[in-house]
Amino acid sequence: MDVISLGETMVLFNPHSTGKMRYCQDFSTKVAGAESNTLIGLSKLGYQTGWISRVGKDELGARILSTLKGEGVDVSFVIRDEESPTGLFLKEKTNERQTKVFYYRKESAASFMSEGDINEEYLSSAKYLYITGITPALSSSCYDSVFHSIKIAKKHGLKVVFDPNLRKTLWGEHEARETLIDVAKEADIILPGISEGEFLFGEQTPEEICSQFHQLGVETVVVKLGEKGAYYSSEGEASYIEGYPVHKVVDPIGAGDGFAAGFLSGLLDHVPLQEAVKRGCAIGAIVVTVEGDIEGLPDKEELYHFMNTITS
Ligand code: CKP
Ligand code: MG
């Protein structure tokens, strides 16, 4: 395995029209979840990935499993829960510039994930453990699973990569800040968005945000700046990487997960850090031009073609 992650994946109901969700009659269903989005992105690029989770023993759970399997993600350690349902969420395209999400995931199968679901031998077969800040927000057993997986990862020399993925609708601000900082302290690499950095430290600039994370002991920090690109800082090396132009954003959700896939692929290929960040920016720019979180994720040929023909 190259990368293993744990988290919740849901069925997404994507609206066919703009405006309040209550007026939307037609939706198409898709599969989405921050961690599995990244794993699918990596799998499309040719890497070995594994997803640890729970889904309900229901139709939505079956849909998620067949999608992940179809995309080449290993699901051998996913538990099918007889009692709790698979979570789902709906998107609202409020207007041209604003997309909202509504979750139906309380007491979902994935929220009952527990430490015992993390198989040590399986996890230790990977090079990277990928965590996002959504999982510890789901329940106390999910919180424990995150720290347990980090403990195993450290014991076996895996690098821990963390995307804070702040979701204010899932938990209170104080608890979120405290937990995200605690996970960050355990991470080798962190991929915050600029607004997450501001939320955690009240700092404004990418340089200040990086410095705060370094003080917590994080070796490599990449601050995502949306269409502007990213700023990274690692062991004395730091630089801005310009974003790739996007003519029309069709669906901004999932950009961060695509970024993580591109960046991790660079680490797995041992390319210089700035090249890895460029890959992240490129995939972020590609996925927002396609409806859905995973549908726009490129294979390696498409990624290289995009990077060679579109000048950032
Ligand atoms: O930060 P991103 O827009 O890249 O993440 C989107 C994902 O897991 C989306 O797939 C959704 O299911 C979620 O984040 C979530 O739980 O909010
Ligand atoms: Mg994100």
Side-chain angles (χ1 to χ4, degrees):
M1 285 292 158
D2 291 311
V3 181
I4 287 181
S5 188
L6 63 152
E8 176 165 36
T9 294
M10 296 168 286
V11 169
L12 155 66
F13 286 74
N14 213 38
H16 290 177
S17 52
T18 309
K20 282 201 190 304
M21 197 184 77
R22 69 185 80 163
Y23 300 116
C24 182
Q25 314 254 345
D26 299 312
F27 293 85
S28 23
T29 60
K30 296 177 184 298
V31 167
E35 300 79 13
S36 63
N37 294 345
T38 297
L39 296 177
I40 290 172
L42 282 162
S43 171
K44 285 192 182 181
L45 294 169
Y47 303 91
Q48 303 292 316
T49 61
W51 182 58
I52 299 172
S53 190
R54 292 191 187 196
V55 293
K57 206 162 186 171
D58 49 21
E59 286 303 307
L60 300 189
R63 166 78 184 275
I64 289 173
L65 287 182
S66 64
T67 301
L68 264 73
K69 278 187 206 163
E71 297 289 2
V73 176
D74 182 67
V75 293
S76 0
F77 284 88
V78 176
I79 293 169
R80 295 204 70 183
D81 186 324
E82 304 262 355
E83 267 120 55
S84 313
T86 302
L88 61 90
F89 73 113
L90 299 99
K91 269 188 200 172
E92 173 185 283
K93 287 223 167 95
T94 320
N95 54 48
E96 281 293 302
R97 270 158 307 166
Q98 199 188 9
T99 306
K100 281 190 194 162
V101 299
F102 299 92
Y103 296 130
Y104 292 82
R105 69 196 301 181
K106 214 161 182 257
E107 313 259 295
S108 67
S111 71
F112 291 101
M113 205 173 359
S114 70
E115 288 184 26
D117 299 358
I118 319 286
N119 181 290
E120 181 160 351
E121 200 185 329
Y122 183 63
L123 181 53
S124 66
S125 73
K127 300 181 183 111
Y128 289 90
L129 168 66
Y130 180 66
I131 298 284
T132 93
I134 298 170
T135 316
L138 299 177
S139 66
S140 63
S141 68
C142 284
Y143 173 100
D144 292 342
S145 308
V146 165
F147 284 95
H148 187 62
S149 68
I150 291 174
K151 202 168 95 193
I152 296 176
K154 296 205 167 235
K155 178 173 160 200
H156 294 279
L158 279 76
K159 291 266 185 204
V160 177
V161 182
F162 178 47
D163 177 343
N165 259 344
L166 171 67
R167 298 290 184 266
K168 285 187 184 164
T169 47
L170 292 180
W171 49 358
E173 293 204 3
H174 176 72
E175 195 191 356
R177 193 172 289 111
E178 210 171 60
T179 302
L180 296 177
I181 296 272
D182 284 347
V183 181
K185 283 182 188 156
E186 304 295 331
D188 299 289
I189 299 165
I190 187 157
L191 311 173
I194 181 90
S195 58
E196 289 161 343
E198 285 165 5
F199 169 81
L200 291 175
F201 305 116
E203 301 286 345
Q204 302 294 329
T205 68
E207 289 86 349
E208 285 164 337
I209 291 166
C210 286
S211 136
Q212 292 281 352
F213 281 120
H214 287 319
Q215 280 171 46
L216 295 179
V218 187
E219 193 177 273
T220 302
V221 187
V222 185
V223 182
K224 294 171 283 183
L225 306 170
E227 65 205 19
K228 294 204 189 95
Y231 176 81
Y232 73 92
S233 165
S234 178
E235 297 175 315
E237 179 193 341
S239 179
Y240 278 93
I241 298 294
E242 228 181 284
Y244 290 81
V246 177
H247 297 300
K248 190 172 188 309
V249 176
V250 173
D251 181 1
I253 315 269
D257 312 327
F259 184 101
F263 178 71
L264 273 161
S265 81
L267 298 184
L268 287 160
D269 287 351
H270 304 288
V271 301
L273 207 53
Q274 61 165 326
E275 282 305 313
V277 178
K278 269 190 195 160
R279 285 193 194 181
C281 291
I283 299 191
I286 296 170
V287 298
V288 299
T289 61
V290 178
E291 203 69 70
D293 294 9
I294 56 172
E295 287 74 2
L297 290 161
D299 61 26
K300 233 174 196 167
E301 211 180 304
E302 288 162 341
L303 173 63
Y304 290 159
H305 178 74
F306 179 85
M307 292 179 77
N308 290 331
T309 50
I310 313 279
T311 19
S312 65

